[in-house]
Coordinates of all heavy atoms in Angstrom, one line a residue:
M1 N 120.7 130.0 144.8 CA 121.9 130.3 144.1 C 121.8 130.1 142.6 O 122.2 131.0 141.8 CB 123.0 129.5 144.7 CG 124.2 129.8 144.1 SD 124.9 131.3 144.6 CE 126.5 131.5 144.0
A2 N 121.2 129.0 142.1 CA 121.1 128.8 140.8 C 120.1 129.7 140.1 O 120.4 130.1 138.9 CB 120.6 127.4 140.5
D3 N 119.1 130.2 140.8 CA 118.2 131.2 140.2 C 118.9 132.6 140.0 O 118.6 133.3 139.0 CB 117.0 131.4 141.1 CG 116.1 130.2 141.3 OD1 116.2 129.3 140.4 OD2 115.4 130.1 142.3
M4 N 119.8 132.9 140.9 CA 120.6 134.2 140.7 C 121.5 134.0 139.6 O 121.6 134.9 138.9 CB 121.3 134.5 142.0 CG 121.9 135.8 141.9 SD 120.8 137.1 141.7 CE 120.9 138.0 143.0
L5 N 122.0 132.9 139.3 CA 122.9 132.7 138.2 C 122.2 132.8 136.8 O 122.7 133.5 136.0 CB 123.6 131.3 138.3 CG 124.7 131.1 137.2 CD1 125.9 132.1 137.4 CD2 125.2 129.6 137.4
V6 N 120.9 132.3 136.9 CA 120.2 132.4 135.6 C 119.8 133.8 135.3 O 119.9 134.4 134.1 CB 118.9 131.5 135.8 CG1 117.9 131.8 134.6 CG2 119.2 130.0 135.8
I7 N 119.5 134.6 136.3 CA 119.2 136.0 136.2 C 120.4 136.7 135.7 O 120.4 137.7 134.9 CB 118.6 136.6 137.5 CG1 117.3 136.0 137.8 CG2 118.6 138.1 137.4 CD1 116.7 136.3 139.1
M8 N 121.6 136.5 136.2 CA 122.8 137.2 135.9 C 123.3 136.9 134.5 O 123.8 137.6 133.7 CB 123.9 137.0 136.8 CG 123.7 137.6 138.2 SD 125.0 137.1 139.4 CE 126.5 137.5 138.5
L9 N 123.2 135.6 134.0 CA 123.6 135.1 132.7 C 122.6 135.0 131.6 O 122.9 134.9 130.5 CB 124.4 133.7 132.9 CG 125.6 133.7 133.7 CD1 126.1 132.3 133.9 CD2 126.6 134.6 133.1
G10 N 121.4 134.9 132.1 CA 120.2 134.6 131.2 C 119.6 135.7 130.5 O 120.1 136.8 130.4
W11 N 118.4 135.4 130.1 CA 117.6 136.3 129.2 C 117.3 137.6 129.9 O 117.1 138.7 129.3 CB 116.4 135.6 128.6 CG 116.8 134.7 127.4 CD1 116.9 133.3 127.4 CD2 117.4 135.1 126.3 NE1 117.3 132.9 126.3 CE2 117.6 133.9 125.4 CE3 117.5 136.3 125.6 CZ2 118.0 134.0 124.2 CZ3 118.0 136.3 124.2 CH2 118.2 135.1 123.6
P12 N 116.8 137.5 131.2 CA 116.6 138.8 132.0 C 117.6 139.8 131.9 O 117.3 140.9 131.7 CB 116.2 138.3 133.3 CG 115.9 136.9 133.3 CD 116.7 136.3 132.1
A13 N 118.9 139.3 132.0 CA 120.0 140.3 132.0 C 120.2 140.9 130.6 O 120.5 142.0 130.4 CB 121.3 139.7 132.5
I14 N 120.1 140.0 129.6 CA 120.2 140.5 128.1 C 119.3 141.5 127.8 O 119.4 142.6 127.3 CB 120.2 139.1 127.3 CG1 121.3 138.2 127.6 CG2 120.2 139.6 125.8 CD1 121.3 136.9 126.9
L15 N 117.9 141.1 128.1 CA 116.8 142.1 127.9 C 116.9 143.4 128.6 O 116.6 144.4 128.0 CB 115.5 141.4 128.1 CG 115.2 140.1 127.0 CD1 113.9 139.5 127.4 CD2 115.3 140.5 125.7
T16 N 117.3 143.2 129.8 CA 117.5 144.4 130.6 C 118.6 145.3 130.1 O 118.5 146.6 130.0 CB 117.8 144.1 132.1 OG1 116.7 143.4 132.6 CG2 118.0 145.4 133.0
S17 N 119.6 144.7 129.7 CA 120.7 145.5 129.0 C 120.3 146.2 127.8 O 120.6 147.4 127.5 CB 122.0 144.5 128.6 OG 122.9 145.2 128.1
I18 N 119.5 145.5 126.9 CA 119.1 146.0 125.6 C 118.2 147.3 126.0 O 118.2 148.2 125.5 CB 118.4 145.1 124.8 CG1 119.5 144.0 124.3 CG2 117.8 145.7 123.6 CD1 118.9 142.8 123.5
G19 N 117.2 146.9 126.9 CA 116.3 148.0 127.3 C 117.0 149.3 127.8 O 116.6 150.4 127.4
L20 N 117.9 149.1 128.7 CA 118.6 150.2 129.2 C 119.5 150.9 128.2 O 119.5 152.1 128.2 CB 119.6 149.7 130.5 CG 118.9 149.4 131.8 CD1 119.9 148.8 132.8 CD2 118.3 150.7 132.4
S21 N 120.1 150.3 127.2 CA 120.8 150.8 126.3 C 120.0 151.7 125.3 O 120.3 152.7 125.0 CB 121.6 149.7 125.4 OG 122.4 149.0 126.3
L22 N 118.9 151.1 124.9 CA 117.9 151.8 124.0 C 117.3 153.0 124.7 O 117.3 154.1 124.2 CB 116.8 150.9 123.5 CG 117.4 149.8 122.5 CD1 116.1 148.9 122.2 CD2 118.1 150.4 121.4
A23 N 117.0 152.9 126.0 CA 116.5 154.1 126.8 C 117.7 155.1 127.0 O 117.4 156.4 127.0 CB 116.1 153.6 128.2
G24 N 118.9 154.7 127.2 CA 120.1 155.6 127.3 C 120.1 156.4 125.9 O 120.5 157.6 126.0
V25 N 120.1 155.8 124.9 CA 120.2 156.5 123.6 C 119.0 157.5 123.3 O 119.1 158.5 123.0 CB 120.3 155.5 122.4 CG1 120.1 156.3 121.1 CG2 121.6 154.6 122.4
A26 N 117.7 157.0 123.7 CA 116.5 157.8 123.5 C 116.5 159.0 124.4 O 116.1 160.1 124.0 CB 115.4 156.9 123.7
H27 N 117.0 158.8 125.6 CA 116.9 160.0 126.6 C 118.3 160.6 126.7 O 118.4 161.6 127.6 CB 116.5 159.4 127.9 CG 115.2 158.9 128.0 ND1 114.1 159.7 127.8 CD2 114.7 157.6 128.1 CE1 112.9 158.9 127.8 NE2 113.4 157.7 127.9
K28 N 119.3 160.3 125.8 CA 120.6 160.9 125.9 C 121.3 160.7 127.3 O 121.9 161.7 127.7 CB 120.5 162.3 125.5 CG 119.9 162.5 124.0 CD 119.8 164.1 123.8 CE 119.2 164.2 122.4 NZ 119.0 165.7 122.2
R29 N 121.2 159.7 127.9 CA 121.8 159.4 129.1 C 122.9 158.2 129.0 O 122.7 157.0 128.9 CB 120.8 158.8 130.1 CG 119.6 159.7 130.3 CD 119.9 160.6 131.5 NE 118.7 161.4 131.7 CZ 118.7 162.2 132.7 NH1 119.5 162.4 133.5 NH2 117.5 163.0 132.7
Y30 N 124.1 158.7 128.9 CA 125.2 157.7 128.6 C 125.5 156.7 129.8 O 126.0 155.7 129.6 CB 126.6 158.4 128.2 CG 127.0 159.2 129.3 CD1 128.1 158.6 130.1 CD2 126.8 160.6 129.5 CE1 128.7 159.4 131.2 CE2 127.5 161.3 130.5 CZ 128.4 160.7 131.3 OH 128.9 161.5 132.3
A31 N 125.0 157.2 131.0 CA 125.2 156.3 132.1 C 124.4 155.0 131.9 O 124.7 154.0 132.4 CB 124.8 157.0 133.5
L32 N 123.2 155.1 131.4 CA 122.4 153.9 131.2 C 123.1 153.0 130.2 O 122.9 151.7 130.4 CB 121.1 154.3 130.6 CG 120.2 155.1 131.5 CD1 118.8 155.4 130.9 CD2 119.8 154.1 132.9
L33 N 123.8 153.4 129.2 CA 124.6 152.7 128.3 C 125.7 151.9 129.1 O 126.0 150.8 128.9 CB 125.1 153.3 127.2 CG 124.1 153.8 126.1 CD1 124.3 155.0 125.3 CD2 123.9 152.6 125.2
L34 N 126.4 152.6 130.0 CA 127.4 151.9 130.7 C 126.9 150.9 131.6 O 127.6 149.9 131.7 CB 128.2 153.1 131.5 CG 129.0 154.1 130.7 CD1 129.5 155.1 131.6 CD2 130.0 153.4 129.9
I35 N 125.7 151.2 132.2 CA 125.1 150.0 133.1 C 124.7 148.9 132.1 O 125.0 147.7 132.5 CB 123.9 150.5 133.8 CG1 124.3 151.7 134.8 CG2 123.1 149.5 134.4 CD1 123.1 152.4 135.5
G36 N 124.2 149.2 130.9 CA 124.0 148.1 130.0 C 125.2 147.3 129.7 O 125.2 146.1 129.4
A37 N 126.3 148.0 129.5 CA 127.6 147.4 129.3 C 128.0 146.4 130.3 O 128.6 145.3 130.0 CB 128.6 148.4 129.0
V38 N 127.7 146.8 131.6 CA 128.1 145.9 132.7 C 127.2 144.7 132.8 O 127.6 143.5 133.0 CB 128.1 146.7 134.0 CG1 128.2 145.8 135.3 CG2 129.1 147.8 134.1
L39 N 126.0 144.9 132.4 CA 125.0 143.7 132.4 C 125.3 142.7 131.4 O 124.8 141.5 131.4 CB 123.6 144.3 132.4 CG 122.9 145.0 133.6 CD1 121.6 145.5 133.4 CD2 123.0 143.9 134.7
I40 N 125.8 143.3 130.3 CA 126.0 142.4 129.1 C 127.4 141.6 129.2 O 127.6 140.7 128.4 CB 126.0 143.1 127.7 CG1 125.6 142.3 126.6 CG2 127.3 143.8 127.4 CD1 124.2 141.7 126.7
L41 N 128.2 141.8 130.2 CA 129.4 141.2 130.4 C 129.3 139.7 130.5 O 130.1 138.9 129.9 CB 130.2 141.8 131.6 CG 130.9 143.1 131.3 CD1 131.5 143.7 132.6 CD2 131.9 142.8 130.3
P42 N 128.4 139.1 131.4 CA 128.3 137.6 131.4 C 127.9 137.0 130.1 O 128.5 136.0 129.7 CB 127.3 137.5 132.5 CG 127.2 138.7 133.3 CD 127.5 139.8 132.4
F43 N 127.0 137.7 129.4 CA 126.5 137.1 128.1 C 127.6 137.1 127.1 O 127.8 136.3 126.3 CB 125.3 137.9 127.6 CG 124.9 137.5 126.2 CD1 124.3 136.2 126.1 CD2 124.8 138.5 125.2 CE1 123.9 135.9 124.8 CE2 124.4 138.1 124.0 CZ 123.9 136.8 123.7
A44 N 128.5 138.3 127.2 CA 129.6 138.3 126.2 C 130.7 137.4 126.6 O 131.3 136.7 125.6 CB 130.2 139.7 126.4
W45 N 130.8 137.1 127.8 CA 131.8 136.1 128.2 C 131.3 134.8 127.8 O 132.2 134.0 127.3 CB 131.9 136.2 129.8 CG 133.0 135.2 130.4 CD1 134.2 134.9 130.0 CD2 132.6 134.2 131.4 NE1 134.7 134.0 130.8 CE2 133.8 133.5 131.7 CE3 131.5 134.0 132.2 CZ2 133.9 132.5 132.6 CZ3 131.6 132.9 133.2 CH2 132.8 132.2 133.3
Y46 N 130.1 134.4 127.9 CA 129.5 133.2 127.4 C 129.6 133.1 125.9 O 130.1 132.1 125.5 CB 128.0 133.1 127.8 CG 127.4 131.9 127.2 CD1 127.4 130.7 127.7 CD2 126.3 132.1 126.0 CE1 126.8 129.6 127.2 CE2 125.8 131.0 125.5 CZ 125.9 129.8 126.1 OH 125.3 128.6 125.6
L47 N 129.5 134.1 125.1 CA 129.7 134.1 123.7 C 131.1 133.8 123.4 O 131.4 133.2 122.3 CB 129.0 135.4 123.1 CG 127.5 135.5 123.0 CD1 127.2 136.7 122.3 CD2 127.0 134.2 122.1
S48 N 132.0 134.4 124.2 CA 133.5 134.4 123.7 C 134.0 132.9 123.8 O 135.0 132.6 123.3 CB 134.2 135.3 124.6 OG 134.3 134.8 125.9
G49 N 133.2 132.0 124.6 CA 133.6 130.7 124.6 C 133.1 129.8 123.4 O 133.6 128.7 123.2
S50 N 132.4 130.4 122.5 CA 132.0 129.7 121.4 C 132.8 130.2 120.2 O 133.2 131.2 120.0 CB 130.5 130.2 121.0 OG 130.1 129.7 119.6
P51 N 133.3 129.1 119.4 CA 134.2 129.5 118.3 C 133.5 130.5 117.2 O 134.2 131.3 116.6 CB 134.5 128.2 117.7 CG 134.2 127.1 118.6 CD 133.1 127.7 119.5
R52 N 132.2 130.3 117.1 CA 131.5 131.1 116.1 C 131.4 132.6 116.5 O 131.6 133.4 115.6 CB 130.1 130.5 115.8 CG 129.4 131.4 114.8 CD 128.1 130.8 114.6 NE 128.2 129.6 113.7 CZ 127.2 128.8 113.2 NH1 125.9 129.0 113.7 NH2 127.4 127.8 112.4
F53 N 131.3 132.9 117.8 CA 131.0 134.2 118.2 C 132.2 134.7 119.2 O 132.0 135.7 119.9 CB 129.7 134.3 119.0 CG 128.5 134.0 118.3 CD1 127.7 132.9 118.3 CD2 128.1 134.9 117.2 CE1 126.6 132.7 117.7 CE2 127.0 134.7 116.5 CZ 126.3 133.6 116.6
Q54 N 133.3 134.1 119.0 CA 134.4 134.5 119.9 C 134.8 135.9 119.9 O 134.8 136.7 120.8 CB 135.7 133.6 119.7 CG 136.8 133.9 120.6 CD 137.9 132.8 120.5 OE1 138.0 132.2 119.5 NE2 138.7 132.7 121.5
A55 N 135.0 136.5 118.6 CA 135.3 137.8 118.5 C 134.1 138.8 118.8 O 134.4 139.9 119.4 CB 135.8 138.1 117.0
V56 N 132.9 138.4 118.5 CA 131.7 139.2 118.8 C 131.5 139.3 120.3 O 131.3 140.4 120.8 CB 130.5 138.6 118.0 CG1 129.2 139.4 118.5 CG2 130.7 138.7 116.6
G57 N 131.7 138.2 121.0 CA 131.6 138.2 122.4 C 132.6 139.2 123.1 O 132.1 139.8 124.1
L58 N 133.6 139.2 122.6 CA 134.6 140.1 123.3 C 134.4 141.5 122.9 O 134.8 142.5 123.6 CB 136.1 139.8 122.7 CG 136.6 138.3 123.2 CD1 137.9 138.0 122.6 CD2 136.7 138.3 124.7
L59 N 133.7 141.8 121.7 CA 133.5 143.2 121.3 C 132.3 143.9 121.8 O 132.2 145.0 121.8 CB 133.5 143.3 119.8 CG 134.8 143.2 119.0 CD1 134.6 143.1 117.6 CD2 135.7 144.3 119.3
L60 N 131.3 143.1 122.4 CA 130.0 143.6 122.7 C 130.1 144.7 123.9 O 129.5 145.7 123.7 CB 129.0 142.5 123.1 CG 128.5 141.7 122.0 CD1 127.5 140.6 122.5 CD2 127.8 142.6 120.9
P61 N 130.9 144.4 124.9 CA 131.0 145.5 125.9 C 131.7 146.7 125.4 O 131.4 147.8 125.8 CB 131.8 144.9 127.1 CG 131.6 143.4 126.8 CD 131.5 143.1 125.3
L62 N 132.7 146.5 124.5 CA 133.5 147.6 124.0 C 132.5 148.5 123.1 O 132.7 149.7 123.0 CB 134.6 147.1 123.2 CG 135.7 146.5 124.0 CD1 136.9 145.9 123.1 CD2 136.3 147.4 125.2
L63 N 131.6 147.8 122.3 CA 130.7 148.5 121.5 C 129.7 149.3 122.3 O 129.3 150.4 121.9 CB 129.9 147.5 120.5 CG 130.8 146.9 119.5 CD1 130.0 145.9 118.7 CD2 131.4 148.0 118.4
H64 N 129.4 148.8 123.5 CA 128.5 149.6 124.4 C 129.2 150.8 124.9 O 128.6 151.8 125.0 CB 128.1 148.7 125.5 CG 126.8 148.1 125.6 ND1 126.6 146.8 124.9 CD2 125.6 148.4 126.1 CE1 125.3 146.6 125.0 NE2 124.7 147.5 125.8
I65 N 130.4 150.7 125.3 CA 131.2 151.8 125.7 C 131.3 152.9 124.6 O 131.3 154.1 124.8 CB 132.5 151.4 126.3 CG1 132.3 150.5 127.6 CG2 133.3 152.6 126.6 CD1 133.5 149.8 128.1
G66 N 131.5 152.4 123.4 CA 131.6 153.2 122.3 C 130.3 154.0 122.0 O 130.2 155.2 121.7
A67 N 129.2 153.2 122.2 CA 127.8 153.9 122.2 C 127.6 154.9 123.2 O 127.0 155.9 123.0 CB 126.7 152.7 122.2
A68 N 128.2 154.6 124.4 CA 128.0 155.6 125.5 C 128.7 156.8 125.2 O 128.3 158.0 125.4 CB 128.6 155.0 126.8
T69 N 129.9 156.6 124.6 CA 130.8 157.8 124.1 C 130.1 158.6 123.0 O 130.0 159.8 123.0 CB 132.1 157.3 123.6 OG1 132.7 156.5 124.7 CG2 133.0 158.5 123.2
A70 N 129.5 157.9 122.1 CA 128.6 158.6 121.0 C 127.4 159.4 121.6 O 127.2 160.5 121.1 CB 128.2 157.6 120.0
V71 N 126.8 158.8 122.6 CA 125.7 159.6 123.2 C 126.2 160.7 124.0 O 125.7 161.8 123.9 CB 124.9 158.6 124.1 CG1 123.9 159.4 125.1 CG2 124.1 157.6 123.3
Y72 N 127.2 160.6 124.6 CA 127.9 161.7 125.4 C 128.2 162.8 124.4 O 128.1 164.0 124.7 CB 129.2 161.2 126.1 CG 129.9 162.3 126.9 CD1 129.3 162.8 128.0 CD2 131.0 162.8 126.4 CE1 130.0 163.8 128.8 CE2 131.7 163.8 127.1 CZ 131.1 164.3 128.4 OH 131.8 165.2 129.1
R73 N 128.7 162.6 123.2 CA 129.0 163.6 122.2 C 127.8 164.0 121.2 O 128.0 164.6 120.2 CB 130.2 163.0 121.3 CG 131.5 162.9 122.3 CD 132.6 162.5 121.4 NE 133.8 162.3 122.3 CZ 135.0 162.2 121.8 NH1 135.2 162.1 120.6 NH2 136.0 162.0 122.7
S74 N 126.6 163.4 121.6 CA 125.4 163.8 121.0 C 125.3 163.2 119.6 O 124.8 163.7 118.7 CB 125.2 165.3 120.9 OG 125.0 165.8 122.2
H75 N 125.9 162.0 119.3 CA 125.8 161.3 118.0 C 125.0 160.1 118.3 O 125.4 158.9 118.4 CB 127.2 160.9 117.5 CG 128.1 162.1 117.3 ND1 127.8 163.0 116.3 CD2 129.2 162.4 117.9 CE1 128.8 163.8 116.4 NE2 129.8 163.5 117.4
R76 N 123.6 160.3 118.2 CA 122.6 159.2 118.7 C 122.7 158.1 117.5 O 122.5 156.9 117.8 CB 121.4 159.7 118.9 CG 121.3 160.5 120.2 CD 120.0 161.3 120.3 NE 118.9 160.4 120.5 CZ 117.6 160.9 120.6 NH1 117.4 162.2 120.5 NH2 116.6 160.1 120.6
W77 N 122.8 158.5 116.3 CA 122.8 157.5 115.2 C 123.9 156.5 115.3 O 123.8 155.3 115.0 CB 122.6 158.2 113.9 CG 121.3 158.7 113.6 CD1 120.9 160.0 113.6 CD2 120.1 157.8 113.3 NE1 119.6 160.0 113.3 CE2 119.1 158.7 113.2 CE3 119.9 156.6 113.1 CZ2 117.7 158.3 112.9 CZ3 118.7 156.0 112.9 CH2 117.5 157.0 112.7
I78 N 125.0 157.0 115.6 CA 126.3 156.3 115.7 C 126.1 155.3 116.9 O 126.5 154.1 116.8 CB 127.6 157.2 115.8 CG1 127.7 157.9 114.6 CG2 128.7 156.3 116.1 CD1 128.9 158.9 114.7
A79 N 125.6 155.8 118.0 CA 125.3 154.8 119.2 C 124.3 153.7 118.8 O 124.6 152.6 119.1 CB 124.7 155.8 120.2
L80 N 123.2 154.0 118.0 CA 122.4 153.0 117.6 C 123.1 152.0 116.6 O 122.9 150.7 116.8 CB 121.2 153.5 116.9 CG 120.2 154.2 117.9 CD1 119.2 154.8 117.0 CD2 119.6 153.3 118.7
L81 N 124.0 152.5 115.8 CA 124.7 151.5 114.9 C 125.6 150.7 115.7 O 125.9 149.5 115.4 CB 125.5 152.3 113.8 CG 124.6 153.1 112.8 CD1 125.5 153.9 111.8 CD2 123.9 152.0 111.9
L82 N 126.3 151.3 116.7 CA 127.1 150.4 117.6 C 126.4 149.4 118.3 O 127.0 148.4 118.8 CB 128.0 151.4 118.5 CG 129.0 152.2 117.8 CD1 129.6 153.2 118.8 CD2 130.0 151.3 117.3
L83 N 125.1 149.6 118.7 CA 124.2 148.6 119.4 C 123.7 147.5 118.4 O 123.2 146.5 118.9 CB 123.2 149.3 120.1 CG 123.6 150.2 121.2 CD1 122.4 150.8 121.9 CD2 124.4 149.4 122.2
L84 N 123.8 147.6 117.1 CA 123.2 146.7 116.1 C 123.8 145.4 116.3 O 123.1 144.3 116.2 CB 123.4 147.2 114.7 CG 122.3 148.1 114.3 CD1 122.5 148.6 112.9 CD2 120.9 147.6 114.4
P85 N 125.2 145.1 116.5 CA 125.6 143.7 116.7 C 125.0 143.0 117.9 O 124.7 141.9 117.8 CB 127.2 143.9 116.8 CG 127.5 145.2 116.3 CD 126.2 146.1 116.4
L86 N 124.8 143.8 119.0 CA 124.2 143.0 120.1 C 122.8 142.6 119.8 O 122.4 141.4 120.0 CB 124.1 144.1 121.3 CG 123.2 143.6 122.5 CD1 123.9 142.4 123.1 CD2 123.2 144.8 123.6
L87 N 122.0 143.5 119.1 CA 120.5 143.2 118.8 C 120.6 142.1 117.8 O 119.8 141.1 118.0 CB 119.9 144.4 118.2 CG 119.7 145.6 119.2 CD1 119.2 146.8 118.4 CD2 118.9 145.2 120.3
S88 N 121.5 142.0 116.9 CA 121.4 140.9 115.8 C 121.9 139.6 116.5 O 121.4 138.6 116.3 CB 122.4 141.3 114.6 OG 123.6 141.5 115.0
V89 N 122.9 139.6 117.3 CA 123.3 138.4 117.9 C 122.3 137.8 118.9 O 122.0 136.6 119.0 CB 124.7 138.6 118.6 CG1 125.0 137.4 119.6 CG2 125.7 138.7 117.7
T90 N 121.6 138.7 119.5 CA 120.5 138.3 120.5 C 119.4 137.7 119.7 O 118.8 136.7 120.1 CB 120.1 139.5 121.4 OG1 121.3 140.0 122.1 CG2 119.0 139.1 122.4
L91 N 119.0 138.4 118.7 CA 117.8 137.9 117.9 C 118.2 136.5 117.3 O 117.3 135.7 117.2 CB 117.4 138.9 116.8 CG 116.7 140.2 117.3 CD1 116.5 141.1 116.1 CD2 115.3 139.7 117.9
W92 N 119.4 136.4 116.8 CA 119.8 135.2 116.2 C 119.8 134.0 117.2 O 119.3 132.9 117.0 CB 121.3 135.2 115.6 CG 121.7 133.9 115.1 CD1 121.4 133.5 113.7 CD2 122.4 132.9 115.7 NE1 121.9 132.2 113.5 CE2 122.6 131.9 114.7 CE3 123.0 132.8 116.9 CZ2 123.2 130.7 114.9 CZ3 123.6 131.5 117.1 CH2 123.8 130.5 116.2
L93 N 120.3 134.3 118.4 CA 120.3 133.3 119.5 C 118.9 132.9 119.9 O 118.6 131.8 120.2 CB 121.1 133.8 120.6 CG 121.4 132.8 121.7 CD1 122.3 131.6 121.1 CD2 122.1 133.4 122.9
A94 N 118.0 134.0 120.0 CA 116.7 133.8 120.4 C 116.0 132.8 119.4 O 115.1 132.0 119.8 CB 115.9 135.0 120.5
F95 N 116.2 133.0 118.2 CA 115.6 132.1 117.1 C 116.2 130.8 117.1 O 115.6 129.8 116.8 CB 115.6 132.8 115.7 CG 114.6 133.8 115.6 CD1 115.1 135.1 115.3 CD2 113.2 133.6 115.7 CE1 114.1 136.2 115.2 CE2 112.3 134.5 115.6 CZ 112.7 135.8 115.2
A96 N 117.5 130.7 117.5 CA 118.2 129.4 117.5 C 117.7 128.5 118.7 O 117.6 127.3 118.7 CB 119.7 129.6 117.5
V97 N 117.4 129.2 119.8 CA 117.1 128.5 121.0 C 115.6 128.2 120.9 O 115.0 127.4 121.0 CB 117.3 129.3 122.2 CG1 116.8 128.7 123.5 CG2 118.7 129.4 122.3

């Protein structure tokens, strides 16, 4: 049970979400971005409990949905820009840990 919780909340889910999101932008598949948004929900919920990242944690899934909408409308650069906060928060947390 604890192993499943680590997979759902931990680095495997975060990295899978980032990978699916980048693949969705590269291959113009907005469904992959929506799956990435679902996978990032536990991480976003965890971040929203921190005072420093409270607003960012709540926005990450919404930015994913915005990126999916941008890919659906063939605006790949906007989709990449909407994914930058996730990448920067993840990199910051990786270096902090």
Side-chain angles (χ1 to χ4, degrees):
M1 181 69 177
D3 293 336
M4 185 58 117
L5 186 63
V6 168
I7 290 172
M8 287 176 53
L9 293 176
W11 288 107
I14 297 167
L15 296 176
T16 303
S17 173
I18 291 172
L20 283 174
S21 299
L22 293 177
V25 172
H27 297 290
K28 299 177 186 175
R29 306 264 181 177
Y30 67 92
L32 292 177
L33 284 152
L34 294 176
I35 294 170
V38 171
L39 286 176
I40 208 65
L41 280 173
F43 178 62
W45 180 53
Y46 172 77
L47 283 179
S48 67
S50 168
R52 178 177 283 177
F53 294 111
Q54 188 172 15
V56 174
L58 296 173
L59 286 176
L60 287 179
L62 295 176
L63 291 173
H64 259 83
I65 294 170
T69 304
V71 166
Y72 181 74
R73 296 182 181 190
S74 299
H75 299 295
R76 291 169 64 185
W77 284 105
I78 294 173
L80 286 174
L81 289 175
L82 289 171
L83 292 176
L84 278 179
L86 170 65
L87 295 173
S88 59
V89 168
T90 303
L91 286 174
W92 182 85
L93 191 63
F95 285 118
V97 173

